[in-house]
Amino acid sequence: MVKHNNQIPNIHCHKKYCESSRGPLKVKLALDQASRKKSRRLARAKKAAAIAPAPLQKLRPVVHCPTQKYSAKTKLGRGFTLEEIKAAGLSRKY
């Protein structure tokens, strides 16, 4: 039982346990992290090569954030209008 006005202890449970019939015995390890990173990178490159001249994501304009506090920052906007896309000489799939 906790006595007095102390901080509640915070246990740091960051381990992932594999379930088995006898309870959580094994700790799940991510030893394949580097190989998964490589396979994801190669898959992205393969997808980019398949749709070669087109970008991977839809084209979005760079806009400034509102209010004085954030006005120096930029972010991606919602998208271009059809008139802007036609003026740039692109098809609407972009």
Side-chain angles (χ1 to χ4, degrees):
M1 183 169 155
V2 179
K3 298 190 178 190
H4 309 298
N5 191 18
N6 297 328
Q7 180 181 5
I8 298 172
N10 182 14
I11 58 170
H12 303 285
C13 298
H14 293 294
K15 289 188 173 73
K16 301 289 184 230
Y17 290 96
C18 298
E19 289 298 324
S20 69
S21 60
R22 296 181 293 155
L25 301 174
K26 294 182 182 175
V27 176
K28 186 175 183 181
L29 300 176
L31 299 176
D32 59 344
Q33 183 180 13
S35 60
R36 282 189 184 195
K37 178 181 177 180
K38 182 179 178 183
S39 63
R40 281 195 302 267
R41 181 174 55 85
L42 293 175
R44 280 194 299 270
K46 184 178 177 183
K47 182 179 177 182
I51 58 172
L56 282 175
Q57 290 92 21
K58 291 195 179 281
L59 293 179
R60 296 169 67 181
V62 176
V63 296
H64 283 273
C65 299
T67 72
Q68 282 185 332
K69 181 178 180 181
Y70 299 106
S71 61
K73 292 184 175 282
T74 57
K75 63 179 182 177
L76 293 177
R78 298 283 299 268
F80 293 103
T81 61
L82 284 176
E83 292 82 26
E84 291 171 331
I85 293 173
K86 286 180 183 175
L90 299 172
S91 65
R92 67 179 293 176
K93 70 177 183 178
Y94 289 108

